[in-house]
Amino acid sequence: MKNYGYFDDQNREFVVTCPQTPYPWINYLGSEAFFSLISNTSGGYSFYKDARLLRLTRYRYNNVPTDAGGKYFYLRDGDTVWNPGWQPCQTELDSYACHHGTGYTTISSVKNGLKAEQCVMVPRGYRAEVTKLTLTNESEAEKKISLYSFVEFCLWNALDDSINFQRNYALGEVELENGGSVIYHKSEYRERRDHYAVFAVNAPVDGYDTDREAFMGLYNGFGKPQAVTEDKPRNSVVHGWAPIGSHNIRRTLQPGESVSFVFVLGYCESPRDQKFVAPGVINKQDAHTLLAAFQSVLQFDEKLLELKEYWEKLLNHFTIQSEDAKLNRQINLWNQYQCMVTFNMSRSASYFESGIGRGMGFRDCSQDLLGFVHLIPERARERILDVAATQLPDGSAYHQYQPLTKRGNSDAGNGFNDDPLWLIYAVEAYLKETGDFAVLDVMVDFNNDPSLAAPLKEHLRRSLRYTTSHLGPHGLPLIGRADWNDCLNLNCYSEEPGESFQTVSSHDTGIAESVFIAGMFVGAADSYAQLFTLMGDDAEAAYASAEKDKMVKTVETYGWDGEWFLRAYDANGDKVGSGECDEGKIFIEPQGMCIMADIGIDNGMAQKALDSTREHLLFEYGVVLNWPAYRSYHLNLGEISSYPPGYKENGSVFCHNNPWIVIAETKLGHGDLAFDVYRRTAPAFIEDQELHRTEPYVYSQTVNGKESFTPGEARNSWLTGTAAYNFVAASQAILGIRPQYEGLMIDPCLPAHLKTVTVRREFRGTEFTIEIHNNAGGEKGSVSLVVDGEPLEGQVIPVTEATKKTCSVQVTIA
Ligand code: GLC
Ligand code: GLC
């Protein structure tokens, strides 16, 4: 079992100690509108706001070798050419470390007594990626160093950039300033764009290149650029073909001497009527302002410090100290950090999401919100309003929208019948966190059409009604194109290769029903009823409660299979996820969702369902989605059985739904069992980094299941609802700290090994310090609270009008 890195808790970093990781291990830079993906070997790309429409640098997915292309520095020291990140020259390094931190990455390496430290960040308040490169001569002899920087520009629209070569090869244009220190990429600026990119260094240069082939040589790869191997920059000015930015700087370093450079890769705009200062000469004002902020190392260091402080403050909203160091690092940094990345990216840009495929998901954004609402409530509010504005007037929703335009996109269409209910979950989470009921009266468009605008609460009303007006023969909700499981397409029969399962013209018989949506509806209707009671609308609350009660009965009658909850009925009315089926007898989703909604807790169904889950679905690396996995293609089930057994939606550990089982276990008071499921997918608990392959510090979407060929290997890291739901499971179910409309509920359900836990949590302006003493031995036990020295009746600490700044809570579990 080889390890490739370790957690540095003190510095809030994951340190990669070997460049040849089992898969590129990346970090995300940027917290506002400019973002970069950066791998441990300095691969990756940058974009502004939208990875499809405003991409600054090029990246080739599925390339050979993998992860070729990025922001590279080539160092020429005598006859040796090397890169701090090992790629692309792959020159063996004397030492290497890559520190992925909060919004920055530092790669530092040594070769032949020359030390290079490449520290990259996207500073707050700027639309740029900024790098400080420090070179130190650690040898006894003088060194003559020739340094080459390298970025490859993308022609903005990343999809077009990768397919429309007959046009693209004619477009490329650049301008230079300060003898080549500042390179402007201005392709398409002469026409419809009023934005350009700048790539600059804060020092005079000895040469430059802007034409890829001039720099690289047509037949050389990134690892053998001709300009570098010959140590001869071409001073090329690109006209069409492939624009790049490269600076050459030559320095002599005495023993012990150090030199630092600051490189800026920025996105700049000009007012539409002031795009040019002379014919063909672009207005560089925006770039000049940007570059002035990064002229010195001091300026860089200040901004880096600010960035670190920003993250420290942000992550201080919720911290834990316990005897489980892995749990601590999971909660205090990596889980919440990943939640923020899903806030920024949804499912758009990762090493598995090309940035041109999917935009922001209606369901995904709403769910992700559960994990970041406590960190950035104002932005969560904005997100809710953006998402709600793409809802259609009948209550259904576009499945996705484009981040730049914030408009629903018809690529994936609508008719994923769980989508609307996620809006209720998101608004509930926001209101419980903030108490900001005013948001319910904000006017929000339907289908981005202002003439259809209605108060947000009307959006909730239509979401709820969408389910109650789309019920099937058993009274369960119709599934539509799919529910949470995008690949259970019970109405979309795809018979032709290449058809998209989810949008193939639907064989909608009005029969296929989802027990998952039923469970979800029960949870949503319950919180909806509470909410409308609080708003004084008793009639609406009573309606929701009655519909909820009806649905509970329907699930217990038609959604129960004897030992577990059924998954669905297909378009023929046949059962899916039943003991009667040959394959796919049991599915995880309804077990989690129904029990989270309190179905079957009082009559033994919930306990039985969890026992069955353990028996059939749980294995070493988590709880698989379904069992047995489908071995042949079932036309009537859609995409799910298109995957080989044990992968993706067909029998992998689809990590996102594992925390549902964690929460369900706590509903029944099983602290040890809940934690046992939790730790099986939690990154900090990963033991075999080589087997796991993807980054061991963040959740991946799937871990190959027990029926796969490589159980335990993960895929699709970073952009997954797993992050949000695990934070909910850990903070609200295991630690039991749950925002309520009226206050903060403390209701832990801990494993036996956590005996003393201290949580610091900011909630509606008060800083709570919650000390939990657990003597319950792995089951829930009974909880008593002492708040600021006074025993409290019940478990909800009320929020009072008088804002008190701190509150100390003693929790005893007997
Ligand atoms: C993009 C830019 C915007 C610019 C427009 C011009 O949308 O974000 O700044 O005005 O392109 O086409
Ligand atoms: C992907 C989608 C998510 C869906 C899940 C299961 O993660 O982004 O919306 O619920 O797959 O199909």
Side-chain angles (χ1 to χ4, degrees), residues 156-435:
W156 300 111
N157 182 323
L159 179 61
D160 229 44
D161 185 73
S162 61
I163 54 178
N164 197 3
F165 304 107
Q166 61 81 25
R167 169 174 163 83
N168 294 345
Y169 285 163
L171 284 181
E173 285 189 291
V174 294
E175 270 181 50
L176 297 163
E177 215 179 28
N178 296 356
S181 289
V182 190
I183 297 169
Y184 294 91
H185 173 231
K186 59 170 188 177
S187 301
E188 286 192 344
Y189 184 83
R190 62 166 68 245
E191 27 125 338
R192 293 155 299 166
R193 297 189 184 276
D194 37 31
H195 52 97
Y196 54 90
V198 63
F199 182 47
V201 59
N202 68 338
V205 295
D206 297 280
Y208 56 84
D209 273 295
T210 64
D211 180 292
R212 189 183 64 199
E213 264 64 77
F215 176 74
M216 205 76 81
L218 189 54
Y219 295 100
N220 298 334
F222 291 111
K224 272 198 297 178
Q226 201 167 292
V228 181
T229 43
E230 291 170 12
D231 200 12
K232 203 168 98 195
R234 269 42 180 184
N235 296 341
S236 58
V237 177
V238 80
H239 302 285
W241 299 115
I244 61 156
S246 174
H247 311 95
N248 174 235
I249 301 174
R250 293 156 193 255
R251 284 293 154 92
T252 302
L253 293 181
Q254 299 306 320
E257 193 185 348
S258 244
V259 61
S260 294
F261 305 101
V262 181
F263 291 86
V264 178
L265 171 69
Y267 168 91
C268 306
E269 288 180 353
S270 303
R272 240 187 210 180
D273 54 352
Q274 299 163 37
K275 282 175 62 167
F276 296 95
V277 293
V281 182
I282 70 175
N283 177 350
K284 305 183 178 62
Q285 189 50 52
D286 197 22
H288 289 161
T289 310
L290 167 67
L291 298 182
F294 297 98
Q295 274 313 299
S296 71
V297 166
L298 197 68
Q299 287 169 309
F300 178 96
D301 290 344
E302 274 172 19
K303 293 290 182 275
L304 180 63
L305 192 65
E306 253 176 50
L307 184 67
K308 289 184 181 176
E309 283 168 357
Y310 161 80
W311 274 105
E312 195 174 321
K313 201 164 159 236
L314 190 67
L315 295 172
N316 264 337
H317 283 83
F318 195 114
T319 61
I320 168 186
Q321 270 183 308
S322 77
E323 41 287 81
D324 190 330
K326 292 178 180 171
L327 178 67
N328 297 351
R329 74 169 59 112
Q330 191 62 42
I331 299 288
N332 291 339
L333 173 56
W334 291 100
N335 192 179
Q336 297 192 74
Y337 186 62
Q338 188 177 2
C339 285
M340 285 302 296
V341 171
T342 63
F343 163 72
N344 288 319
M345 300 291 137
S346 188
R347 307 292 171 270
S348 66
S350 73
Y351 265 31
F352 299 87
E353 301 279 7
S354 64
I356 56 182
R358 307 202 277 164
M360 315 285 279
F362 190 98
R363 172 201 300 138
D364 295 331
C365 287
S366 305
Q367 269 177 103
D368 292 344
L369 184 137
L370 308 184
F372 60 71
V373 63
H374 66 295
L375 296 171
I376 44 166
E378 316 77 36
R379 299 181 78 190
R381 185 184 206 266
E382 189 188 326
R383 179 60 55 82
I384 286 174
L385 299 177
D386 287 348
V387 169
T390 68
Q391 187 176 28
L392 294 160
D394 70 351
S396 70
Y398 278 116
H399 200 45
Q400 283 157 21
Y401 72 95
Q402 205 56 37
L404 186 67
T405 60
K406 296 187 176 176
R407 291 186 156 265
N409 92 42
S410 35
D411 296 356
N414 63 345
F416 293 71
N417 282 355
D418 65 316
D419 273 341
L421 293 174
W422 288 112
L423 185 65
I424 298 181
Y425 277 57
V427 172
E428 174 195 4
Y430 172 74
L431 290 174
K432 286 183 170 172
E433 183 67 40
T434 61

Side-chain angles (χ1 to χ4, degrees), residues 405-632:
T405 60
K406 296 187 176 176
R407 291 186 156 265
N409 92 42
S410 35
D411 296 356
N414 63 345
F416 293 71
N417 282 355
D418 65 316
D419 273 341
L421 293 174
W422 288 112
L423 185 65
I424 298 181
Y425 277 57
V427 172
E428 174 195 4
Y430 172 74
L431 290 174
K432 286 183 170 172
E433 183 67 40
T434 61
D436 170 24
F437 285 88
V439 77
L440 294 167
D441 295 318
V442 173
M443 294 295 282
V444 185
D445 296 352
F446 279 101
N447 197 13
N448 298 108
D449 180 348
S451 74
L452 300 175
L456 181 62
K457 65 181 170 220
E458 175 62 18
H459 286 255
L460 301 186
R461 210 186 66 85
R462 292 197 207 170
S463 291
L464 193 87
R465 294 285 191 301
Y466 184 80
T467 302
T468 56
S469 62
H470 289 79
L471 300 177
H474 300 93
L476 293 162
L478 291 173
I479 194 168
R481 295 183 185 280
D483 58 21
W484 173 89
N485 190 332
D486 277 337
C487 298
L488 197 59
N489 314 119
L490 303 182
N491 295 306
C492 313
Y493 288 11
S494 178
E495 294 181 83
E496 296 302 324
E499 270 172 349
S500 152
F501 286 97
Q502 283 134 43
T503 56
V504 67
S505 70
S506 158
H507 286 54
D508 200 341
T509 53
I511 288 180
E513 299 169 302
S514 161
V515 177
F516 168 85
I517 303 182
M520 200 183 163
F521 175 80
V522 168
D526 194 41
S527 79
Y528 184 94
Q530 274 185 53
L531 178 60
F532 278 75
T533 304
L534 280 176
M535 289 193 298
D537 189 342
D538 292 337
E540 186 64 11
Y543 169 78
S545 291
E547 289 296 323
K548 177 201 127 179
D549 293 345
K550 232 196 305 179
M551 191 64 78
V552 171
K553 290 212 181 67
T554 308
V555 171
E556 289 175 353
T557 313
Y558 299 108
W560 179 251
D561 194 55
E563 299 293 324
W564 54 77
F565 292 101
L566 198 67
R567 180 62 177 86
Y569 290 92
D570 70 13
N572 300 314
D574 293 332
K575 293 174 179 173
V576 180
S578 159
E580 294 168 14
C581 306
D582 292 338
E583 302 177 327
K585 288 174 186 290
I586 171 172
F587 280 69
I588 188 174
E589 303 103 307
Q591 322 313 326
M593 204 33 92
C594 290
I595 302 172
M596 286 201 291
D598 293 334
I599 301 174
I601 291 190
D602 50 1
N603 61 15
M605 283 180 177
Q607 186 57 62
K608 261 194 183 167
L610 286 177
D611 291 342
S612 301
T613 301
R614 286 191 80 75
E615 187 184 338
H616 302 299
L617 300 177
L618 183 81
F619 86 121
E620 197 177 344
Y621 299 104
V623 186
V624 296
L625 192 146
N626 56 311
W627 175 87
Y630 296 103
R631 290 183 179 268
S632 53

